[in-house]
Amino acid sequence: MKKLMAAVVLTAVVSLPALAAGDAAAGKSKAMTCVACHGMEGKVTVPMYPNLAGQNAMYLEQALKDYKSGGRSGGQAEVMKAYVGNLSEQDISDLAAYYASLKP
């Protein structure tokens, strides 16, 4: 039974998508286009946009990937898709690490 459980856990871990390690410092330099809507430190001045400061990095990464792929729709999704369309996987990881590192 233990071997079966270990095999299941190992299979689950191996099948998880690989996440690039984000570099918060690099993300800060890449965040300049985000400032107009999400604020200089990830805190908005216009309530229709979400605060990003202190948000979970994995959530931010997935959200950016979903915007890029068209997996998110409605609201400002088309605007976000235009902003993230040219981001690499590393850019996305760096941005997520940067915003996650900020105090909410």
Side-chain angles (χ1 to χ4, degrees), residues 2 23 29 39 43-44 49 60 74 82 89:
K2 286 184 180 182
D23 178 342
S29 69
K43 296 175 187 164
V44 301
Y49 303 117
L60 290 172
E89 293 282 321

Side-chain angles (χ1 to χ4, degrees), residues 15-99:
S15 64
L16 287 173
L19 297 176
D23 178 342
K28 182 176 183 176
S29 69
K30 296 172 184 180
M32 286 299 110
T33 59
C34 309
V35 170
C37 298
H38 298 287
M40 187 60 97
E41 294 293 321
K43 296 175 187 164
V44 301
T45 57
V46 179
M48 72 179 277
Y49 303 117
N51 287 320
L52 301 180
Q55 185 59 265
N56 180 287
M58 287 178 64
Y59 170 79
L60 290 172
E61 258 190 85
Q62 189 60 54
L64 291 172
K65 289 176 183 179
D66 288 346
Y67 282 124
K68 185 174 179 172
S69 71
R72 283 193 173 205
S73 60
Q76 298 294 313
E78 289 304 312
V79 173
M80 283 298 299
K81 188 173 183 177
Y83 277 104
V84 301
N86 291 323
L87 295 178
S88 69
E89 293 282 321
Q90 189 63 53
D91 293 337
I92 289 172
S93 294
D94 293 345
L95 286 165
Y98 169 63
Y99 282 111

